[in-house]
């Protein structure tokens, strides 16, 4: 699972970086890189393909929350925040700035490995969810198209960057159009039972989808809210 996964650890505490690197190698990950400042990390991401970024929130040259959107301009890698901040606002800030998951300090390094492996299991199984060749791998909603085989979101005929967890949530909704899903149902289906995140996570990712597919994210017509029940991806827009 991990032999071809490229991981970047960004933290200024060298002991933590070394601990994570040793643990990840023990768990079978071979391509591990390190950075100790935000500037160093951003430069590395600009020049190398990365699948997973373990990103400390408190860096010597700025906040990981500020760095994450800049990384998102360069990569759709899975971003796992390391944070000593535990308030709901801090967690939501992490998701809103482009993060996919978080672990609070102090942490067990095996938990980080477990989060990474769970993410890899979901991404590896996602394309296999529908095996029949008669079933479409391209979901056309008129204004936007989700191409599952290419792993691309195309809006108005232009490919739009889409972080992994945002992509997986949209893919799940595309596979089940016109069905209403509660936040808890989406958490179970997309994040899985092994994730310790609350339902606000879904709201943040729904917003991130709307910012990509809707003409006006504040007045969505594709990904709508069904009051008291949840969310629905409307299919009627297909031409």
């Amino acid at each position: 699972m991990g032999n071809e996964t490229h991981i970047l650890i960004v933290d200024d505490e060298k002991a933590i970086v070394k601990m994570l690197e040793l643990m990840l190698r023990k768990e079978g990950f071979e391509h591990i890189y390190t950075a100790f400042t935000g500037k160093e990390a951003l430069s590395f991401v600009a020049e190398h393909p990365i699948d997973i970024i373990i990103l400390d929130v408190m860096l010597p040259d700025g906040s990981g929350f500020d760095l994450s959107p800049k990384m998102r301009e360069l990569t759709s890698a899975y971003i796992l925040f390391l944070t000593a901040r535990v308030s709901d606002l801090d967690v939501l800030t992490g998701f809103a700035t482009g993060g996919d998951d978080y672990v609070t300090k102090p942490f067990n390094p095996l938990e980080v490995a477990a989060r990474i492996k769970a993410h890899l299991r979901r991404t590896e199984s996602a394309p296999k969810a529908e095996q029949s060749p008669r079933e479409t791998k391209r979901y056309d909603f008129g204004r936007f198209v989700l191409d599952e085989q290419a792993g691309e979101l195309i809006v108005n005929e232009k490919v739009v960057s889409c972080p992994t967890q945002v992509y997986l949530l949209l893919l799940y909704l595309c596979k089940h159009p016109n069905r209403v899903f509660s936040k808890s149902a989406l958490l179970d289906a997309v994040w899985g039972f092994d994730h310790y995140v609350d339902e606000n996570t879904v709201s943040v990712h729904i917003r991130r989808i709307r910012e990509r597919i809707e003409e006006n994210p504040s007045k969505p017509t594709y990904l709508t809210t069904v009051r008291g029940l949840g969310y629905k991806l409307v299919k009627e827009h297909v031409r």
Side-chain angles (χ1 to χ4, degrees), residues 139-183:
Y139 304 92
D140 190 346
F141 284 74
R143 174 179 167 80
F144 73 93
V145 174
L146 193 71
D147 189 329
E148 183 179 3
Q149 290 181 323
E152 292 180 339
L153 171 61
I154 305 164
V155 182
N156 285 335
E157 300 182 350
K158 295 182 179 179
V159 176
V160 174
S161 174
C162 199
T164 304
Q165 211 63 28
V166 175
Y167 173 84
L168 292 176
L169 177 57
L170 179 56
L171 175 62
Y172 184 78
L173 291 167
C174 285
K175 289 182 176 182
H176 304 90
N178 297 324
R179 284 181 55 183
V180 179
F181 292 97
S182 66
K183 291 180 181 179

Side-chain angles (χ1 to χ4, degrees), residues 196-214:
Y196 306 99
V197 293
D198 61 33
E199 294 182 355
N200 286 328
T201 301
V202 176
S203 301
V204 173
H205 282 70
I206 289 290
R207 177 69 187 182
R208 292 167 74 182
I209 290 175
R210 285 171 172 166
E211 289 171 349
R212 288 165 169 79
I213 69 172
E214 300 284 355

Side-chain angles (χ1 to χ4, degrees), residues 59-72:
L59 295 170
D61 56 346
S63 166
F65 290 156
D66 294 331
L67 182 63
S68 181
K70 297 176 184 177
M71 287 184 163
R72 277 284 168 249

